[in-house]
């Protein structure tokens, strides 16, 4: 005989009675009672709010053969939750036609043993006031135990009574379940108050129904029939591009260059085989979710500029709009950004040598990225400013140099630079004309690689090309004149202490930021800021750990110079003046003045091999004769300032005062043909290592020759197309094979 008998629960509400029969007191808890009451009563009552539940566990005074009955009364709450134990009117409602033999009294000793969760002395707060109360509250623990949580490593299985945070969470779980099991679904009801779905195959018994509980927010599975009698179908219409995009967001954050093959491999985990266009649309939606939309990012630029000025004071962020009248919304044109840390690093720690270049952007609205870089004490790239413009021409470069001179200038002889201000450029698209007008004090140095490309277009041959580079890299006038017999003179300024003859520093910078060139403009600008911020801090840490007086690259150069000096011959004249023989020439070196007849000592700022021989002979260190531009102190001054971080877009404060609120993107101007995303290389420039050139040979189907097709063929048509390309020997072998086959048949 069982120790505890089953109970019947009589629920009384508004003089009505509903019976919940055969309740096991051991496995039945407060949460089950709450759900059963809601399902039995509140489904028939309009409005579930402001209802107060009074639960009393009573034992009837009848004989022991009668079933024990627990009575639950539900009343409307009025104001505060007052104790209604004195009101016993609900007890008299037991005398009804259905339960005539029930006589309830107040002794609840035996009932307390079976329904301890309903003890009146306990204070049952639905929302705990602290985390400790939540940990000890059995109601909250029971809710957490039945709350459904997503685990991608485990297959989804539904159970009756499972809870979901809201209707959207249940719908998402239901979609994942349908795709996982591979069956069509038909949603009979898909509302915020209830969701009912059945299997789409006729005759299948699978069915699920969920609706909210008392809080009108949490969803619970009320009815569930999980058995299927249909056949699994992997081509499920529920696996849409939106669903695939949600699954790809986390994966694409780790692998931003994921292709359609990667998407296909990822979807195999879910048993889904999407089409090519589904994967393409899913990749675009996942990218927009991570990086943002191109059009929307332009409207966020004014607020982002305000945040730059707030978190990085004394920095510059200028945005130029096109707004003919106040009746039209402004349209984005150009944007110039430079941080105070970059200005301080350039003025205090770098040589006045600046390189300018522009690279095209690969986004939907195109444009160009104008960049400015210089060299630090380690001859590493140090970006100091950048701008986004519609096109690269004289007007945009003039606008760029206007704010460049305003932020970094004024550039005069008393501006504080220890040397002549020199601009390196490629002389393309109005760049040199713009800085000559805006910054006339700057001297120009043109990229020899671009000059050589133009030179080779008219003067072919390896000999002239070698003579050009020998002339470009000559430090002395004699060597330069020997190589420049028919080439225009090219000289250096000895006060700059920089021997760069190409604009490779800006080209390297463009390759360094290549991953952002196809992003929306806000992602591009913020990504560059993060790159600059990270690189400055990393190099500052590197500088703090240096143990030498000069930077590491200069140490490596001096080691090579010291090895090359062994091939020279030294003739001392005094302590600091001597003559050095090198091959068939001799050079005079003055260590006090840091000069050498070869010119390399004065131009580069490092001892040449001729001066290094005398320094080594004197048992002195080569580092002591290097210019201060290459010292550890200058390196630390370059990176001592910091670029302050900016909050995430979701954490931006409201800025109603920032105008304009709406910014339109630049006009979309698409050139005919497929948009080009690769660099246009010169005829003598090597192919990319990561993307080698694919060789394709075209063969004419008419004459059999290579280099053209049938449409452009100029030759006569071949009589027998099938055998026209065969040689005489091949035709003889073909005839012999036919004869042999005939002999075998007979």
């Amino acid at each position: 005989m069982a120790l505890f008998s089953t109970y019947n629960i009589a629920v009384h509400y508004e003089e009505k009675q509903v019976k919940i029969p055969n309740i096991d007191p051991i496995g039945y808890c407060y949460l089950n009672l709450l759900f059963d009451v809601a399902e039995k009563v509140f489904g028939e009552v309009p409005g579930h709010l402001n209802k107060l539940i009074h639960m009393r566990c009573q034992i009837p005074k009848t004989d022991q053969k009668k079933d024990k009955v627990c009575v639950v009364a539900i009343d409307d709450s009025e104001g505060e939750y007052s104790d209604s134990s004195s009101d016993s009117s609900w007890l008299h409602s037991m005398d009804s036609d259905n339960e005539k033999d029930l006589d309830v009294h107040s002794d609840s000793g035996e009932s307390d043993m079976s329904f301890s969760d309903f003890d009146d002395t306990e204070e049952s707060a639905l929302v705990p006031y602290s985390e400790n109360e939540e940990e000890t509250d059995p109601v909250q623990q029971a809710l957490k135990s039945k709350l459904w949580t997503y685990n991608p490593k485990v297959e989804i299985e539904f159970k009756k009574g499972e809870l979901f945070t809201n209707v959207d969470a249940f719908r998402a779980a239901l979609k994942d379940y349908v795709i996982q099991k591979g069956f069509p679904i038909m949603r009979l009801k898909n509302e915020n108050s209830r969701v009912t779905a059945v299997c789409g195959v006729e005759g299948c018994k699978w069915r699920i129904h969920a609706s909210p509980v008392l809080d009108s927010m949490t969803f619970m599975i009320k009815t569930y029939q999980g058995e299927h009698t249909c056949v699994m179908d992997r081509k499920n219409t529920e696996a849409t591009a939106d669903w695939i995009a949600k699954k790809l967001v986390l994966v694409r954050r780790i692998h931003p260059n994921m292709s359609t093959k990667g998407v296909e491999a990822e979807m195999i985990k879910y048993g889904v085989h999407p089409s090519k266009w589904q994967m393409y649309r899913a990749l675009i939606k996942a990218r927009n979710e991570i990086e943002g939309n191109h059009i929307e990012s332009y409207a966020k630029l004014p607020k982002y500029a305000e945040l730059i000025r707030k978190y990085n004071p004394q920095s510059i962020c200028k945005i130029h709009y096109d707004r003919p009248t106040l009746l039209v919304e402004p349209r984005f044109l150009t944007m110039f950004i430079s941080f105070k840390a970059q200005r301080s690093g350039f003025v205090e720690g770098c040589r006045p040598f600046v390189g300018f270049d522009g690279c095209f952007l690969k986004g939907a609205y195109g444009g160009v990225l104008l960049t400015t870089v210089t060299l630090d004490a380690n001859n590493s790239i140090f970006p100091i400013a950048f701008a986004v413009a519609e096109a690269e021409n004289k007007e945009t470069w003039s606008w760029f140099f206007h704010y460049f001179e305003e932020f970094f200038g004024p550039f005069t002889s008393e501006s504080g630079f220890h040397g002549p201000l020199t601009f390196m450029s490629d002389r393309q698209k109005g760049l040199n004309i713009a800085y000559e007008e805006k910054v006339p004090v700057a001297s120009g140095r043109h990229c020899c690689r671009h000059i050589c490309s133009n030179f080779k277009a008219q003067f072919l041959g390896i000999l002239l090309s070698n003579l050009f580079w020998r002339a470009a890299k000559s430090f002395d006038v004699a060597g330069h004149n020997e190589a420049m017999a028919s080439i225009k003179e090219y000289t250096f300024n000895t006060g700059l202490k920089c021997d760069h003859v190409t604009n490779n520093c800006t080209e390297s910078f463009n390759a360094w930021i290549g991953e952002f060139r196809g992003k929306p403009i806000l992602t591009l600008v913020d990504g560059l800021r993060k790159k600059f911020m990270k690189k400055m801090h990393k190099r500052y840490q590197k500088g703090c750990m240096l143990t030498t007086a000069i930077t590491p690259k200069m140490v490596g150069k001096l080691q090579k110079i010291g090895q090359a000096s062994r091939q020279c011959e030294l003739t001392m004249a005094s302590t600091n003046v001597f003559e050095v023989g090198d091959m068939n020439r001799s050079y005079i070196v003055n260590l006090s003045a840091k000069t050498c007849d070869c010119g390399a000592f004065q131009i580069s700022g490092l001892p040449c091999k001729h001066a290094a021989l005398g320094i080594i002979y004197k048992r002195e260190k080569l580092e002591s004769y290097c210019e201060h531009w290459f010292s550890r102190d200058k390196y630390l001054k370059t990176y001592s300032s910091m670029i302050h971080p900016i909050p995430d877009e979701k954490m931006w404060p409201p800025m109603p005062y920032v105008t304009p609120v709406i910014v339109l993107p630049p006009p979309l101007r698409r050139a005919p043909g497929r948009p080009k995303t690769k660099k246009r290389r010169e005829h003598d420039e090597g192919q990319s290592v990561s993307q080698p050139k694919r060789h394709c040979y075209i063969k004419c189907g008419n004459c059999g020759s290579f280099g053209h097709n049938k449409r452009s063929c100029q030759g006569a048509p071949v009589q027998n197309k099938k055998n026209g390309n065969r040689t005489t020997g091949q035709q003889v072998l073909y005839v012999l094979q036919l004869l042999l086959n005939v002999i075998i048949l007979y």
Side-chain angles (χ1 to χ4, degrees), residues 634-708:
K634 284 290 184 181
Y635 189 83
L636 288 175
K637 286 182 180 180
T638 303
Y639 300 102
S640 59
S641 302
M642 66 171 290
I643 298 177
H644 296 271
I646 295 177
D648 187 74
E649 181 183 345
K650 298 179 181 179
M651 306 295 293
W652 286 3
M655 292 177 281
Y657 54 88
V658 176
T659 57
V661 179
I662 300 176
V663 178
L664 300 179
L668 185 60
R669 299 172 182 173
R670 290 189 176 179
R674 184 185 293 270
K676 294 179 173 57
T677 58
K678 298 179 181 179
K679 175 185 175 182
R680 291 186 302 175
R681 298 181 178 272
E682 302 291 341
H683 64 279
D684 61 334
E685 191 173 359
Q687 297 296 328
S688 174
V689 178
S690 59
Q691 296 177 347
K693 183 178 179 181
R694 294 179 297 178
H695 297 279
C696 181
Y697 299 99
I698 302 175
K699 183 178 180 181
C700 178
N702 187 28
C703 64
S705 302
F706 292 95
H708 64 275

Side-chain angles (χ1 to χ4, degrees), residues 438-452:
K438 295 295 181 179
V439 192
V441 298
S443 60
R445 183 180 292 188
H446 307 306
C447 179
C448 287
R449 188 178 64 83
H450 292 83
I451 297 175
C452 184

Side-chain angles (χ1 to χ4, degrees), residues 304-305 307-317 335-347 382-386 407-408 524-533 536 638 641-646:
Y304 185 79
L307 292 174
I308 288 179
R309 303 185 192 102
K310 176 182 177 181
Y311 289 95
N312 292 272
Q314 300 181 20
S315 299
I316 184 173
C317 182
M335 183 178 188
F336 180 89
I337 295 179
S338 182
F339 296 93
K340 178 181 179 297
Q342 295 175 316
R343 183 186 185 279
S344 301
F346 171 61
V347 174
F382 179 62
I384 56 177
F386 69 94
F407 187 63
F408 291 93
L524 165 70
V525 173
D526 196 54
L528 294 179
R529 178 193 61 81
K530 292 178 181 178
K531 261 187 171 297
F532 299 160
M533 180 176 64
M536 289 188 68
T638 303
S641 302
M642 66 171 290
I643 298 177
H644 296 271
I646 295 177

Side-chain angles (χ1 to χ4, degrees), residues 548-569:
T548 56
I550 59 176
T551 55
K553 285 186 179 180
M554 300 302 108
V555 172
K557 280 189 174 183
L558 292 181
Q559 291 177 353
K560 294 180 179 179
I561 292 172
Q563 291 293 330
S565 66
R566 299 178 60 189
Q567 302 176 0
C568 301
E569 183 180 356

Side-chain angles (χ1 to χ4, degrees), residues 23-264:
I23 299 301
D24 184 9
I26 299 178
Y28 203 74
C29 65
Y30 171 82
L31 190 62
N32 299 113
L33 176 63
L34 195 63
F35 292 154
D36 289 338
V37 169
E39 185 176 4
K40 291 287 185 181
V41 179
F42 288 166
E44 304 175 1
V45 178
H48 302 166
L49 299 179
N50 299 326
K51 303 299 180 184
L52 184 63
I53 301 177
H54 303 279
M55 291 176 290
R56 298 292 185 270
C57 305
Q58 304 293 345
I59 301 175
K61 291 183 178 180
T62 57
D63 56 353
Q64 298 297 325
K65 295 181 180 180
K66 293 291 182 179
D67 291 338
K68 300 176 182 179
V69 179
C70 292
V71 182
V72 178
I74 306 175
D75 299 327
D76 290 333
S77 62
E78 298 178 359
E80 299 180 355
Y81 291 108
S82 59
D83 186 11
S84 61
S85 59
S86 60
D87 184 11
S88 59
S89 60
W90 60 279
L91 294 174
H92 302 291
S93 63
M94 292 294 296
D95 299 329
S96 60
D97 296 336
N98 296 333
E99 299 289 344
K100 295 180 180 179
D101 55 345
L102 291 181
D103 186 11
V104 183
H105 63 87
S106 61
D107 186 10
S108 58
E110 186 176 352
S111 178
D112 289 340
M113 178 180 64
S114 302
F115 291 84
S116 59
D117 294 338
F118 301 155
D119 194 357
D120 294 335
T121 59
E122 291 186 3
E123 296 181 2
S124 56
L126 293 179
V127 181
Y129 293 101
S130 65
E131 296 182 359
N132 296 331
E133 293 182 19
E134 185 178 358
E135 294 175 357
T136 58
D137 190 357
V139 178
Q140 295 294 334
Q141 291 180 0
L143 286 171
K144 284 187 175 181
S145 64
K146 292 199 172 187
L147 188 64
W148 183 85
T149 55
Y150 176 70
N151 187 358
K153 298 181 181 179
V154 180
E155 291 189 356
I156 302 174
E157 294 293 341
F158 290 139
K159 295 179 182 178
K160 182 180 178 181
E162 277 187 326
L163 299 176
F164 299 84
T165 55
N166 51 34
V167 64
D168 295 329
F170 174 73
R171 287 170 179 166
L174 181 61
K175 181 182 281 287
D176 290 348
Y177 177 80
V178 171
I179 295 173
Q180 171 189 299
K181 297 299 181 182
F183 67 93
I185 189 175
M186 182 183 298
R187 295 173 177 84
L188 304 179
K189 299 290 182 181
N190 193 15
E191 305 167 357
N192 292 335
S193 59
R194 54 181 174 174
V195 176
T196 304
V198 296
C199 182
V201 180
E202 185 178 357
C204 186
K205 298 180 179 180
W206 185 91
R207 186 179 186 275
I208 190 170
H209 170 75
S211 60
V213 294
L214 292 178
D215 61 1
S216 300
M217 180 64 67
T218 305
F219 253 60
M220 184 183 72
I221 299 178
K222 303 293 183 62
T223 305
Y224 180 60
Q225 175 64 34
E227 295 182 1
H228 277 281
T229 57
C230 59
V231 180
M232 182 179 292
D233 185 10
R234 288 299 182 186
K235 295 182 179 179
N236 201 305
T237 58
E238 295 293 322
T240 59
D242 292 332
W243 180 85
I244 298 174
K246 291 180 181 178
K247 301 298 179 183
L248 293 178
V249 169
L250 295 178
V251 182
R252 183 150 187 176
R253 289 185 188 274
I254 305 173
H255 306 285
N257 298 324
M258 174 182 285
S259 62
T260 54
K261 292 184 179 180
V263 177
E264 187 176 5

Side-chain angles (χ1 to χ4, degrees), residues 472-504:
K473 295 182 180 181
S474 296
F475 298 105
D476 59 321
V477 179
H480 179 80
N481 291 334
E482 289 180 4
M484 290 285 292
S486 59
I487 304 176
K488 190 176 180 180
E489 185 179 0
Y490 190 94
T491 59
F492 288 91
N493 193 310
T494 58
L496 184 61
K497 307 303 178 186
C498 182
D499 57 354
H500 277 247
V501 296
T502 63
N503 204 19
N504 287 343

Side-chain angles (χ1 to χ4, degrees), residues 351 377 497 550-551 554 604-606 627-632:
R351 288 159 286 176
K497 307 303 178 186
I550 59 176
T551 55
M554 300 302 108
S604 66
L606 299 175
E627 291 290 337
H628 66 285
W629 296 111
F630 310 108
S631 64
R632 175 179 176 271

